[in-house]
Amino acid sequence: MTVAWFGTFWDVYSNLVLSVGTNALLALSIWLTLACGMLSIANAAFMAIGAYASALLTLNFGWPFPVALAAGMAAPALMAFLIGRPTLRLSGVYLAMATLAFGEVVRIVLLNTDRVTGGALGLNGIPQLTRWWHVALALAVTLAVLWRMRRSRIGRAFEAIKEDETAAGLMGIDVAGYKMLAFVLGAAIAGLAGALNAHLTFFIGPGEYGFDRAVEILTMAILGGIGSLTGPVVGAVILTLLPELLRALQNFRLVFNGLILVLIVLFLPRGIWDTERLRRWAGIVRRQA
Amino acid sequence: MGRHRTAAGVSTPLLRLDGLSRHFGGLMVLQDVNLEIPRGGIFGLIGPNGAGKTTVFNLITGLLAPTSGRIEFEHHSLSGCSPHRITRLGIARTFQNIRLFREMSLLENVMVGLHAKLGYRTHDLILATGHFRRDERAARERARELLSWVRLDHKLSDRADNLSYGDQRKLELARALASNPKLLLLDEPVAGMNSGEKDALMSDVRRISERGYTIFMIEHDMRFVMGLCQDIAVLNFGRIIARGAPDAIRVNAEVIEAYLGREDDDAAPDGAPGAAA
C-alpha cells in the first residue's frame, strides 16, 4: 500500500526531489565563496561548463558516467583557476561585475559554437544516467567535506578573510591562496551539480545557465543564510519547492514567489537558518515551558 | 616556548631599517630612516602625531612597500615579501585602531593567529585523522594559555565585539603572540585605556618581554613608554631625531622642541609667515 503510494509519488515528483538535491549543491558552491567574503556570481557558468563537458563525453564518446562526472568537475575547476588569477584581486561589486561578465561570455560561447554544443538548440538525448543515490551521495560527500573544513584551520582562515583581509594576512594566512581555493572548489561543486542535472533532464541549452540562474543560486544561499551549512540547503529546498506549492495561484505564482522572498529578506536579513536567532528562540521556548 | 637567545645573536640586530623612505605622492612621510633593533628587551618609537610612526610598522609588516631603502630581518630582506610571509618569518603586530575578527569568539581569534603553526594536510582534516585532532587540541590549549597571559581566559567563548575596549586590545595582543613571533610590534597599545587598565597592561607587557619576546612599540603615553622601554627612538617629520635611554630622551633639547615647539613659537602670531624662522 505505502509502497504503491510512494511509487506513484516518485513517478510524478522524482525530478523535483532530485532538483532539490542539485540545487542544494549549487547553493553550497556559492556558499564557499561567500564564506570567504567574495561575491562571485559565476556559478551558473561553472554549472554550464560541468553540464556540457560531461554531457558531450557521455553523448558523443560514450564515456562511463563516473569519469564524465569527474570531468564535469575538473573542467570548471580549471576554468576557475585560470580566470581566478586576474579577477580575485577585485572585491565587492567589482568582483561581482567581473564574474557576471564571465557568465555571459560562457553563455554566448555555448550559443555560438553550434557544431559542438548545438548552439541555441542545445544538446538533445543525453543519456539519463543520474540515479537518486548519485545525487544523495554527492550531496552527502559535499556536506561532509565542507563540514570538516569549517571546523579546521581552513574554515577559520575563510572567516578571518571575510571579516578583515588585512588582519588575516598578518596572521600568516595566504589570503590570495585561500580565496583561490574557495573559488576553485566552488566551481567544482557547481560543475558536479551541472553534470548530475544534465544526465537527469535529457536536454540542456545555453538559456538555462544565464543571469536568471546565477541570481537564483545566489538567492538560495542568501535566503537560507550563509552562517551555517544548513542555511544554503534550506534555501535550496524552499526556492525549488515554492513555485510548485504555489501552483494553485496559476499566473500569479511568480508574483507571490517574489513577494515571499522579499518578505523573508526584509525580516530575516541573516537568512532563514540564522543559528544565533534559532538559539535565542529555543531559549525563549524553554523558559516558557 | 622554544625561544633562543644565543650569545652571538645579541650582537647582531634582529631588525635593521636601512635608509628607509616612503613618499605618498609629494608627501615625504619617512625620509632616510636608519634603525637597528637588538634582540631582546622592549624598544620604543615615539614622536608627535603624523610623524610617520605607523608607516614604519606598515613597511615592516609588508602592508606598504618602501619608496627606497631596505628592511632586513634576521638577514632576510623583507622587500617584496607579502604580509603573510613576513608573519611566518616571525613578525607579528597589533593595530592602533583595533582589528579583531569581531564575529568570532576569543578562542577562535587566537586560533586564527595559530594558523601557520597547524601542520596537518587537507586529507588529515577531511578524514579527521589523529594528526588533525592532536594539532587542533594542542592549538586550543595554546590559545587558552595565551589568553591567560592577558587574563582573558575566563571569556573564551564570548564574541570579540562584546569585549570592552581595553580587553579588545589585550585580545589583539594574545592573537599576535599566537604566531610565536621573534619580534612583536605594538601600535599604541594603551590608546583609549584608563589609567588602571594602563597599569595592568604595563605589567602584562613586561611579563611577555620576560618570556623572551622582543617588543617594538609605538606609543604616545610617555609614562607607559618611559616605564617599559630600555631604548627609545624619536621620529619627527619622517626623520629619526634622537635615540637613547629614557632618561637621555627626556632631557634631549631636540625632542622637547619636537613635542612642545620652540620657545619663540609661542610669541609669534598664529600662521604668520616666517614665524618659526
Side-chain angles (χ1 to χ4, degrees):
Chain A
M1 177 69 191
T2 36
V3 176
W5 173 84
F6 183 77
T8 329
F9 169 83
W10 189 249
D11 285 343
V12 180
Y13 290 111
S14 67
N15 254 338
L16 184 67
V17 173
L18 295 183
S19 296
V20 169
T22 52
N23 279 342
L25 282 174
L26 288 168
L28 289 170
S29 78
I30 205 167
W31 172 86
L32 259 169
T33 38
L34 289 170
C36 223
M38 296 186 286
L39 181 54
S40 150
I41 28 193
N43 291 37
F46 292 136
M47 180 193 185
I49 296 171
Y52 272 89
S54 62
L56 286 170
L57 289 174
T58 51
L59 198 60
N60 295 347
F61 302 101
W63 280 28
F65 191 43
V67 184
L69 281 182
M73 292 174 79
L78 183 68
M79 184 53 101
F81 182 73
L82 293 177
I83 69 157
R85 296 208 143 243
T87 49
L88 294 186
R89 292 161 192 227
L90 305 171
S91 60
V93 266
Y94 302 103
L95 178 64
M97 295 287 286
T99 46
L100 197 64
F102 167 73
E104 277 304 282
V105 169
V106 169
R107 191 179 66 83
I108 290 165
V109 166
L110 291 175
L111 206 55
N112 288 300
T113 48
D114 309 42
R115 208 173 291 164
V116 185
T117 63
L121 295 176
L123 292 177
N124 256 307
I126 302 167
Q128 284 177 287
L129 298 169
T130 303
R131 299 282 167 272
W132 69 268
W133 62 269
H134 294 149
V135 177
L137 187 67
L139 189 58
V141 170
T142 305
L143 277 170
V145 169
L146 294 183
W147 189 79
R148 276 264 159 249
M149 266 177 53
R150 246 171 91 74
R151 274 160 186 71
S152 75
R153 67 184 190 135
I154 299 181
R156 287 192 297 269
F158 282 177
E159 204 174 335
I161 291 169
K162 180 168 122 190
E163 289 205 34
D164 189 332
E165 236 180 276
T166 308
L170 287 166
M171 296 297 115
I173 293 169
D174 179 0
V175 175
Y178 276 101
K179 281 183 163 182
M180 183 60 97
L181 176 70
F183 194 56
V184 169
L185 208 53
I189 295 172
L192 176 63
L196 287 169
N197 186 58
H199 292 84
L200 194 65
T201 53
F202 192 72
F203 162 83
I204 55 173
E208 293 171 50
Y209 307 110
F211 180 68
D212 290 358
R213 176 56 73 106
V215 171
E216 192 193 358
I217 296 171
L218 180 65
T219 314
M220 288 189 291
I222 301 286
L223 182 75
I226 57 168
S228 67
L229 287 171
T230 319
V233 176
V234 169
V237 172
I238 290 174
L239 223 59
T240 318
L241 297 185
L242 203 53
E244 300 302 321
L245 297 175
L246 297 177
R247 211 166 262 280
L249 296 165
Q250 291 174 357
N251 290 342
F252 290 100
R253 72 181 173 144
L254 283 183
V255 175
F256 276 86
N257 199 28
L259 205 60
I260 290 170
L261 297 186
V262 168
L263 289 176
I264 291 177
V265 172
L266 266 182
F267 292 107
L268 307 171
R270 293 173 68 99
I272 294 170
W273 200 267
D274 173 3
T275 32
E276 239 168 85
R277 178 167 42 76
L278 292 175
R279 210 170 292 143
R280 215 158 46 233
W281 285 359
I284 291 167
V285 172
R286 216 171 299 136
R287 232 169 292 135
Q288 284 172 343
Chain B
M1 265 196 40
R3 310 203 56 77
H4 309 286
R5 285 167 71 179
T6 56
V10 175
S11 58
T12 56
L14 181 63
L15 181 78
R16 206 159 71 90
L17 311 183
D18 191 5
L20 201 62
S21 298
R22 170 71 203 198
H23 304 173
F24 290 106
L27 190 67
M28 292 186 264
V29 176
L30 291 177
Q31 298 173 60
D32 192 33
V33 170
N34 295 292
L35 208 55
E36 289 190 351
I37 298 188
R39 223 171 271 266
I42 306 178
F43 184 88
L45 179 65
I46 62 172
N49 277 324
K53 302 185 297 293
T54 296
T55 305
V56 173
F57 274 16
N58 287 346
L59 291 171
I60 296 171
T61 50
L63 295 181
L64 288 174
T67 308
S68 64
R70 283 167 54 81
I71 304 172
E72 239 177 66
F73 179 68
E74 286 197 313
H75 309 297
H76 292 281
S77 169
L78 298 187
S79 26
C81 274
S82 55
H84 77 269
R85 298 207 62 88
I86 290 173
T87 303
R88 287 173 186 209
L89 285 173
I91 299 179
R93 74 174 284 183
T94 64
F95 296 89
Q96 186 180 348
N97 46 338
I98 303 171
R99 300 185 83 149
L100 288 167
F101 304 119
R102 308 177 61 84
E103 291 187 16
M104 296 169 96
S105 71
L106 270 64
L107 193 71
E108 284 169 328
N109 263 279
V110 180
M111 284 181 79
V112 171
L114 287 161
H115 181 84
K117 302 281 160 201
L118 290 165
Y120 55 76
R121 309 289 290 266
T122 310
H123 68 261
D124 285 321
L125 79 88
I126 287 170
L127 302 172
T129 60
H131 188 182
F132 167 78
R133 276 176 306 198
R134 251 192 329 276
D135 273 15
E136 284 281 316
R137 202 178 316 123
R140 250 192 317 276
E141 284 310 312
R142 177 71 178 150
R144 214 169 272 148
E145 188 192 347
L146 289 166
L147 284 166
S148 78
W149 290 8
V150 291
R151 294 164 287 114
L152 283 175
D153 47 332
H154 56 293
K155 293 183 177 173
L156 293 177
S157 47
D158 284 20
R159 259 172 60 142
D161 58 357
N162 286 341
L163 291 179
S164 73
Y165 195 73
D167 281 353
Q168 290 193 12
R169 287 215 173 273
K170 293 197 297 190
L171 174 56
E172 244 203 342
L173 185 59
R175 188 183 66 173
L177 284 168
S179 63
N180 206 22
K182 294 167 189 151
L183 176 65
L184 177 62
L185 308 177
L186 304 179
D187 195 347
E188 299 203 18
V190 293
M193 281 191 178
N194 64 39
S195 62
E197 287 173 325
K198 280 179 190 173
D199 287 340
L201 192 76
M202 202 185 235
S203 52
D204 288 341
V205 170
R206 191 172 289 129
R207 232 173 303 121
I208 288 164
S209 162
E210 280 161 8
R211 290 175 197 272
Y213 292 91
T214 304
I215 297 174
F216 177 10
M217 70 161 84
I218 292 172
E219 188 46 72
H220 266 303
D221 188 286
M222 284 305 142
R223 199 171 58 89
F224 192 79
V225 176
M226 299 291 176
L228 279 175
C229 302
Q230 298 88 9
D231 194 0
I232 295 172
V234 186
L235 192 69
N236 193 27
F237 289 118
R239 289 178 190 280
I240 301 283
I241 57 168
R243 162 118 192 226
D247 291 331
I249 294 292
R250 220 189 303 255
V251 296
N252 183 304
E254 248 186 296
V255 175
I256 292 168
E257 184 191 315
Y259 269 90
L260 304 175
R262 229 183 276 179
E263 242 173 79
D264 54 54
D265 275 3
D266 290 338
D270 277 353

